[in-house]
Amino acid sequence: MAQTDLSVELGQRRRPRQRGWSFERYQRLREEAAADPLRFWERQAMQLSWYRRWERVLDDSQAPFYRWFVGAKTNIVANALDRHLGTATQNTLALIWEGENGELRTFSYFALHREVCQFANVLKSMGVRRGDRVTIYLPRIPELPIAMLACAKIGAVHSVVYGGFSVEALHGRLEDSASRVLVTADGGYMRGKVVPLKEIADEAVARAGTVEHLVVVRRTRQEVHMEPGRDFYYDDLMVLPVTRGADGGCETEVMDAEDPLFLLYTSGTTGKPKAIVHTHGGYQVGVATTLQLCFDLRPEDRWWCAADPGWITGHSYIVYAPLILGATSVMYEGAPTYPYPDRWWRIAEKYGVTILYTAPTAIRSLMRFGDAWVTRHDLSRLRLLGSVGEPINPEAWRWYYEVVGGGRCPIIDTWWQTETGMFMIAPVPSSPLKPGSATLPLPGVTAQVVDEEGRPVPPGEEGKLVLTSPWPAMLRGLYRDPERYRQQYWSRYPGWYLTGDSARVDEDGYFWIIGRTDDVIKVSGYRLGTAEIESALVSHPAVSEAAAIGVPHEVKGHAIRCYVLLRAGVAASPELAHELADHVAREVGPIARPEVVEIVASLPKTRSGKIMRRVLKARALGQPEGDTSTLEE
Ligand code: WT7
């Protein structure tokens, strides 16, 4: 395998001994955990604080509706914030935030806790109670983690909608979660331009019926419409006496380990995004354990997870796990190339970042600008690099390793999903690496690559990636849709979780992820469903039918290509094709903008009328069309 050769060439060279666990000792831990996974997870759980201990580690009697740490009482905020108060950590920086315009804001654990308490009191004063859903639609600013933590503190369930999504995506998520409060901003900065978040929010709220109040963070300070009695500015609310609480704080709600912590919508195979449900108890154990293992976080580290808090990566590894571990995080608001392509490296140098965790698509896009933008900065404090979201290609791996990491920093390639909540297949700093492989399942995690019948495939052969036992940070279901949860993840191979990915395992047991096997497209690491894009297209008056596919793209990994049939009497034109691409970007968000919209006279369909995307894809790539015996067209 070409990629394995690269590992011989690069992987083991010039690498200083990592602190912490040797690989041999780590392998023993994996073996011990394999022999008794529940004991492993229980030991991990014992390092966190709980209001009441569990009666059982795992209840699998209602599988696939698993329950972890049954009977325990906790709140993830008790571990993320409360337990640091009164310790030296309260004076440690929890967050170093840089705005796109260069603004700097920092929060010690003490200050972050105080802000969270105040906002929690604001939410309470608006009538938000335990179990209520709150939607958060914010740019990458400190108020985003603050709002999440405030919800968690009072037992409300947050649903963060990525600030790059647009009206229809926000509307669907507001309505499905029946949120009563929406936290948003007057606008956000991206590449020096203002994203009109409040305008989008107003339109989404007008389409959805449930929202009673909007809290608006002042970020860009431009004039926005404020509905009297409905909309309030965040900073106006934060100075009200009520937000101070009885003694300047806010009681942390005692939650059951299995109570929901958040909903996070992600794309699946239907047009309707599904809400993944994560809970307080198992999730905190899973994310804290895996961040500690894979990145060996220490008090002297400066951790930078460059994802957006609006995705699971940000939920788990910007907000919750680093805070539980008492770490110092760096967060940056804007585009990596603003105003110049060295913005990230400037930030890494300025704040002494020791660990950078990002996605291959970001690496590829920065790589294009050449090495000099990186090498003019002192990145000597970096000791580990991380990758997530899609397989990392050898070229990007090599550049990341050599140019960014100076040939010193192991690349921690973490495979996981919104659904898994935590890293599942990933190395630790001492693991022998093979570029492009996420290496081995973590302790307490079991994965296999199997054929159609569920038999493990021989080394080197492609098959379906399944997880064969439950794990604490696993999704507990899809919000209000238990049947879809069972059907989608647990019905293909009873008792096993279907990931939707195909993969290979090599002779050393290393996992190589190939990609999605369903109608999910990974565009710049973002997960989009073909059906979501298609339903946005057919919502345009000119379109009668549409199909979307993903085609390989040098920087984005995959790009979206659409085929549309127009309604009778509508004339095709390049302008219309352009307008349709704009329409998708407006409805779903700029990340969903199709690269190409092609107006066609017919679409390949089965006799039962299903569009055969597989055939479109083969045609787009100039590959053989495969079995087309069911093709009607
Ligand atoms: C899908 C999950 C997990 C946070 C970000 C994405 C792909 C994820 C890797 C990796 C190869 C990867 C898979 C997976 N994926 N990490 N290290 N190597 N592929 O979360 O949006 O839920 O997407 O991302 O296809 O199924 P997500």
Side-chain angles (χ1 to χ4, degrees), residues 127-148:
V128 176
R129 299 278 168 268
R130 186 187 174 115
D132 288 349
R133 275 81 52 210
V134 172
T135 295
I136 303 172
Y137 180 60
L138 285 173
R140 209 148 49 222
I141 55 177
E143 284 76 9
L144 177 42
I146 289 165
M148 291 165 70

PDB file of all heavy atoms in Angstrom, residues 127-148:
ATOM      1  N   GLY A 127     -38.602  31.772  31.474  1.00  0.00           N
ATOM      2  CA  GLY A 127     -39.497  30.623  31.626  1.00  0.00           C
ATOM      3  C   GLY A 127     -38.918  29.314  31.126  1.00  0.00           C
ATOM      4  O   GLY A 127     -39.637  28.320  31.022  1.00  0.00           O
ATOM      5  N   VAL A 128     -37.634  29.289  30.821  1.00  0.00           N
ATOM      6  CA  VAL A 128     -37.033  28.030  30.359  1.00  0.00           C
ATOM      7  C   VAL A 128     -36.855  27.098  31.558  1.00  0.00           C
ATOM      8  O   VAL A 128     -36.276  27.481  32.571  1.00  0.00           O
ATOM      9  CB  VAL A 128     -35.666  28.276  29.674  1.00  0.00           C
ATOM     10  CG1 VAL A 128     -35.011  26.954  29.303  1.00  0.00           C
ATOM     11  CG2 VAL A 128     -35.842  29.156  28.447  1.00  0.00           C
ATOM     12  N   ARG A 129     -37.373  25.900  31.433  1.00  0.00           N
ATOM     13  CA  ARG A 129     -37.316  24.925  32.515  1.00  0.00           C
ATOM     14  C   ARG A 129     -36.562  23.686  32.064  1.00  0.00           C
ATOM     15  O   ARG A 129     -36.362  23.457  30.876  1.00  0.00           O
ATOM     16  CB  ARG A 129     -38.736  24.502  32.935  1.00  0.00           C
ATOM     17  CG  ARG A 129     -39.606  25.606  33.456  1.00  0.00           C
ATOM     18  CD  ARG A 129     -39.316  25.909  34.938  1.00  0.00           C
ATOM     19  NE  ARG A 129     -39.957  27.167  35.329  1.00  0.00           N
ATOM     20  CZ  ARG A 129     -39.379  28.368  35.279  1.00  0.00           C
ATOM     21  NH1 ARG A 129     -38.136  28.497  34.852  1.00  0.00           N
ATOM     22  NH2 ARG A 129     -40.024  29.453  35.651  1.00  0.00           N
ATOM     23  N   ARG A 130     -36.196  22.883  33.028  1.00  0.00           N
ATOM     24  CA  ARG A 130     -35.603  21.574  32.796  1.00  0.00           C
ATOM     25  C   ARG A 130     -36.337  20.841  31.674  1.00  0.00           C
ATOM     26  O   ARG A 130     -37.567  20.770  31.684  1.00  0.00           O
ATOM     27  CB  ARG A 130     -35.766  20.822  34.116  1.00  0.00           C
ATOM     28  CG  ARG A 130     -35.112  19.505  34.202  1.00  0.00           C
ATOM     29  CD  ARG A 130     -35.565  18.869  35.531  1.00  0.00           C
ATOM     30  NE  ARG A 130     -35.046  17.520  35.558  1.00  0.00           N
ATOM     31  CZ  ARG A 130     -34.145  17.118  36.443  1.00  0.00           C
ATOM     32  NH1 ARG A 130     -33.721  17.924  37.384  1.00  0.00           N
ATOM     33  NH2 ARG A 130     -33.698  15.883  36.378  1.00  0.00           N
ATOM     34  N   GLY A 131     -35.579  20.343  30.715  1.00  0.00           N
ATOM     35  CA  GLY A 131     -36.191  19.572  29.632  1.00  0.00           C
ATOM     36  C   GLY A 131     -36.619  20.408  28.435  1.00  0.00           C
ATOM     37  O   GLY A 131     -36.804  19.880  27.344  1.00  0.00           O
ATOM     38  N   ASP A 132     -36.769  21.739  28.622  1.00  0.00           N
ATOM     39  CA  ASP A 132     -37.153  22.599  27.485  1.00  0.00           C
ATOM     40  C   ASP A 132     -36.009  22.683  26.483  1.00  0.00           C
ATOM     41  O   ASP A 132     -34.848  22.648  26.858  1.00  0.00           O
ATOM     42  CB  ASP A 132     -37.468  24.028  27.961  1.00  0.00           C
ATOM     43  CG  ASP A 132     -38.775  24.104  28.726  1.00  0.00           C
ATOM     44  OD1 ASP A 132     -39.531  23.114  28.705  1.00  0.00           O
ATOM     45  OD2 ASP A 132     -39.026  25.159  29.353  1.00  0.00           O
ATOM     46  N   ARG A 133     -36.363  22.849  25.221  1.00  0.00           N
ATOM     47  CA  ARG A 133     -35.322  22.997  24.197  1.00  0.00           C
ATOM     48  C   ARG A 133     -35.047  24.474  23.906  1.00  0.00           C
ATOM     49  O   ARG A 133     -35.973  25.274  23.818  1.00  0.00           O
ATOM     50  CB  ARG A 133     -35.718  22.302  22.883  1.00  0.00           C
ATOM     51  CG  ARG A 133     -35.379  20.823  22.875  1.00  0.00           C
ATOM     52  CD  ARG A 133     -36.408  19.990  23.597  1.00  0.00           C
ATOM     53  NE  ARG A 133     -37.740  20.263  23.103  1.00  0.00           N
ATOM     54  CZ  ARG A 133     -38.843  20.172  23.820  1.00  0.00           C
ATOM     55  NH1 ARG A 133     -38.798  19.785  25.079  1.00  0.00           N
ATOM     56  NH2 ARG A 133     -40.017  20.459  23.300  1.00  0.00           N
ATOM     57  N   VAL A 134     -33.773  24.783  23.750  1.00  0.00           N
ATOM     58  CA  VAL A 134     -33.334  26.127  23.397  1.00  0.00           C
ATOM     59  C   VAL A 134     -32.465  26.004  22.152  1.00  0.00           C
ATOM     60  O   VAL A 134     -31.521  25.208  22.142  1.00  0.00           O
ATOM     61  CB  VAL A 134     -32.514  26.753  24.547  1.00  0.00           C
ATOM     62  CG1 VAL A 134     -31.894  28.076  24.119  1.00  0.00           C
ATOM     63  CG2 VAL A 134     -33.383  26.939  25.790  1.00  0.00           C
ATOM     64  N   THR A 135     -32.809  26.755  21.112  1.00  0.00           N
ATOM     65  CA  THR A 135     -31.969  26.712  19.905  1.00  0.00           C
ATOM     66  C   THR A 135     -30.952  27.847  19.952  1.00  0.00           C
ATOM     67  O   THR A 135     -31.268  28.965  20.356  1.00  0.00           O
ATOM     68  CB  THR A 135     -32.841  26.799  18.638  1.00  0.00           C
ATOM     69  OG1 THR A 135     -33.652  25.619  18.576  1.00  0.00           O
ATOM     70  CG2 THR A 135     -31.980  26.865  17.373  1.00  0.00           C
ATOM     71  N   ILE A 136     -29.732  27.526  19.580  1.00  0.00           N
ATOM     72  CA  ILE A 136     -28.636  28.494  19.599  1.00  0.00           C
ATOM     73  C   ILE A 136     -28.109  28.631  18.179  1.00  0.00           C
ATOM     74  O   ILE A 136     -27.709  27.643  17.559  1.00  0.00           O
ATOM     75  CB  ILE A 136     -27.528  28.019  20.566  1.00  0.00           C
ATOM     76  CG1 ILE A 136     -28.104  27.814  21.982  1.00  0.00           C
ATOM     77  CG2 ILE A 136     -26.372  29.017  20.581  1.00  0.00           C
ATOM     78  CD1 ILE A 136     -27.140  27.169  22.965  1.00  0.00           C
ATOM     79  N   TYR A 137     -28.157  29.847  17.650  1.00  0.00           N
ATOM     80  CA  TYR A 137     -27.748  30.119  16.269  1.00  0.00           C
ATOM     81  C   TYR A 137     -26.829  31.327  16.310  1.00  0.00           C
ATOM     82  O   TYR A 137     -27.279  32.464  16.244  1.00  0.00           O
ATOM     83  CB  TYR A 137     -29.015  30.382  15.443  1.00  0.00           C
ATOM     84  CG  TYR A 137     -28.807  30.675  13.984  1.00  0.00           C
ATOM     85  CD1 TYR A 137     -28.185  29.764  13.142  1.00  0.00           C
ATOM     86  CD2 TYR A 137     -29.268  31.875  13.430  1.00  0.00           C
ATOM     87  CE1 TYR A 137     -28.011  30.035  11.791  1.00  0.00           C
ATOM     88  CE2 TYR A 137     -29.106  32.157  12.086  1.00  0.00           C
ATOM     89  CZ  TYR A 137     -28.472  31.234  11.265  1.00  0.00           C
ATOM     90  OH  TYR A 137     -28.315  31.507   9.931  1.00  0.00           O
ATOM     91  N   LEU A 138     -25.555  31.063  16.511  1.00  0.00           N
ATOM     92  CA  LEU A 138     -24.596  32.133  16.783  1.00  0.00           C
ATOM     93  C   LEU A 138     -23.351  31.975  15.932  1.00  0.00           C
ATOM     94  O   LEU A 138     -23.032  30.871  15.492  1.00  0.00           O
ATOM     95  CB  LEU A 138     -24.169  32.081  18.262  1.00  0.00           C
ATOM     96  CG  LEU A 138     -25.154  32.586  19.316  1.00  0.00           C
ATOM     97  CD1 LEU A 138     -24.624  32.287  20.710  1.00  0.00           C
ATOM     98  CD2 LEU A 138     -25.421  34.077  19.157  1.00  0.00           C
ATOM     99  N   PRO A 139     -22.630  33.077  15.733  1.00  0.00           N
ATOM    100  CA  PRO A 139     -21.305  32.940  15.114  1.00  0.00           C
ATOM    101  C   PRO A 139     -20.341  32.312  16.123  1.00  0.00           C
ATOM    102  O   PRO A 139     -20.712  32.030  17.261  1.00  0.00           O
ATOM    103  CB  PRO A 139     -20.905  34.383  14.797  1.00  0.00           C
ATOM    104  CG  PRO A 139     -21.804  35.261  15.570  1.00  0.00           C
ATOM    105  CD  PRO A 139     -22.961  34.460  16.073  1.00  0.00           C
ATOM    106  N   ARG A 140     -19.086  32.129  15.708  1.00  0.00           N
ATOM    107  CA  ARG A 140     -18.103  31.487  16.591  1.00  0.00           C
ATOM    108  C   ARG A 140     -17.569  32.506  17.601  1.00  0.00           C
ATOM    109  O   ARG A 140     -16.477  33.013  17.473  1.00  0.00           O
ATOM    110  CB  ARG A 140     -16.962  30.939  15.724  1.00  0.00           C
ATOM    111  CG  ARG A 140     -16.285  29.743  16.304  1.00  0.00           C
ATOM    112  CD  ARG A 140     -15.768  28.787  15.253  1.00  0.00           C
ATOM    113  NE  ARG A 140     -15.002  29.423  14.203  1.00  0.00           N
ATOM    114  CZ  ARG A 140     -15.117  29.101  12.911  1.00  0.00           C
ATOM    115  NH1 ARG A 140     -15.954  28.168  12.528  1.00  0.00           N
ATOM    116  NH2 ARG A 140     -14.383  29.702  12.009  1.00  0.00           N
ATOM    117  N   ILE A 141     -18.389  32.809  18.598  1.00  0.00           N
ATOM    118  CA  ILE A 141     -18.033  33.784  19.636  1.00  0.00           C
ATOM    119  C   ILE A 141     -18.231  33.132  21.006  1.00  0.00           C
ATOM    120  O   ILE A 141     -18.926  32.111  21.104  1.00  0.00           O
ATOM    121  CB  ILE A 141     -18.888  35.072  19.516  1.00  0.00           C
ATOM    122  CG1 ILE A 141     -20.392  34.741  19.545  1.00  0.00           C
ATOM    123  CG2 ILE A 141     -18.525  35.840  18.241  1.00  0.00           C
ATOM    124  CD1 ILE A 141     -21.306  35.966  19.508  1.00  0.00           C
ATOM    125  N   PRO A 142     -17.627  33.668  22.055  1.00  0.00           N
ATOM    126  CA  PRO A 142     -17.703  33.026  23.370  1.00  0.00           C
ATOM    127  C   PRO A 142     -19.134  32.785  23.863  1.00  0.00           C
ATOM    128  O   PRO A 142     -19.379  31.844  24.624  1.00  0.00           O
ATOM    129  CB  PRO A 142     -16.975  34.008  24.292  1.00  0.00           C
ATOM    130  CG  PRO A 142     -16.013  34.716  23.402  1.00  0.00           C
ATOM    131  CD  PRO A 142     -16.713  34.836  22.074  1.00  0.00           C
ATOM    132  N   GLU A 143     -20.077  33.636  23.431  1.00  0.00           N
ATOM    133  CA  GLU A 143     -21.459  33.436  23.879  1.00  0.00           C
ATOM    134  C   GLU A 143     -22.027  32.096  23.416  1.00  0.00           C
ATOM    135  O   GLU A 143     -23.006  31.610  23.988  1.00  0.00           O
ATOM    136  CB  GLU A 143     -22.350  34.581  23.401  1.00  0.00           C
ATOM    137  CG  GLU A 143     -22.182  35.877  24.187  1.00  0.00           C
ATOM    138  CD  GLU A 143     -20.895  36.645  23.845  1.00  0.00           C
ATOM    139  OE1 GLU A 143     -20.212  36.267  22.866  1.00  0.00           O
ATOM    140  OE2 GLU A 143     -20.579  37.614  24.563  1.00  0.00           O
ATOM    141  N   LEU A 144     -21.416  31.506  22.409  1.00  0.00           N
ATOM    142  CA  LEU A 144     -21.910  30.198  21.951  1.00  0.00           C
ATOM    143  C   LEU A 144     -21.671  29.122  23.010  1.00  0.00           C
ATOM    144  O   LEU A 144     -22.632  28.509  23.488  1.00  0.00           O
ATOM    145  CB  LEU A 144     -21.293  29.868  20.578  1.00  0.00           C
ATOM    146  CG  LEU A 144     -21.589  28.543  19.904  1.00  0.00           C
ATOM    147  CD1 LEU A 144     -23.029  28.107  20.003  1.00  0.00           C
ATOM    148  CD2 LEU A 144     -21.205  28.614  18.435  1.00  0.00           C
ATOM    149  N   PRO A 145     -20.412  28.875  23.437  1.00  0.00           N
ATOM    150  CA  PRO A 145     -20.259  27.935  24.556  1.00  0.00           C
ATOM    151  C   PRO A 145     -20.974  28.383  25.822  1.00  0.00           C
ATOM    152  O   PRO A 145     -21.519  27.545  26.556  1.00  0.00           O
ATOM    153  CB  PRO A 145     -18.748  27.873  24.788  1.00  0.00           C
ATOM    154  CG  PRO A 145     -18.114  28.845  23.870  1.00  0.00           C
ATOM    155  CD  PRO A 145     -19.110  29.240  22.840  1.00  0.00           C
ATOM    156  N   ILE A 146     -21.020  29.693  26.080  1.00  0.00           N
ATOM    157  CA  ILE A 146     -21.687  30.169  27.296  1.00  0.00           C
ATOM    158  C   ILE A 146     -23.166  29.778  27.280  1.00  0.00           C
ATOM    159  O   ILE A 146     -23.704  29.270  28.259  1.00  0.00           O
ATOM    160  CB  ILE A 146     -21.515  31.701  27.445  1.00  0.00           C
ATOM    161  CG1 ILE A 146     -20.055  32.006  27.801  1.00  0.00           C
ATOM    162  CG2 ILE A 146     -22.469  32.277  28.489  1.00  0.00           C
ATOM    163  CD1 ILE A 146     -19.648  33.455  27.626  1.00  0.00           C
ATOM    164  N   ALA A 147     -23.820  29.989  26.142  1.00  0.00           N
ATOM    165  CA  ALA A 147     -25.242  29.647  26.052  1.00  0.00           C
ATOM    166  C   ALA A 147     -25.456  28.138  26.193  1.00  0.00           C
ATOM    167  O   ALA A 147     -26.404  27.690  26.845  1.00  0.00           O
ATOM    168  CB  ALA A 147     -25.822  30.148  24.725  1.00  0.00           C
ATOM    169  N   MET A 148     -24.556  27.343  25.595  1.00  0.00           N
ATOM    170  CA  MET A 148     -24.685  25.890  25.717  1.00  0.00           C
ATOM    171  C   MET A 148     -24.588  25.462  27.181  1.00  0.00           C
ATOM    172  O   MET A 148     -25.409  24.695  27.695  1.00  0.00           O
ATOM    173  CB  MET A 148     -23.575  25.186  24.913  1.00  0.00           C
ATOM    174  CG  MET A 148     -23.718  25.328  23.406  1.00  0.00           C
ATOM    175  SD  MET A 148     -22.195  24.892  22.507  1.00  0.00           S
ATOM    176  CE  MET A 148     -22.120  23.125  22.752  1.00  0.00           C
TER     177      MET A 148
END
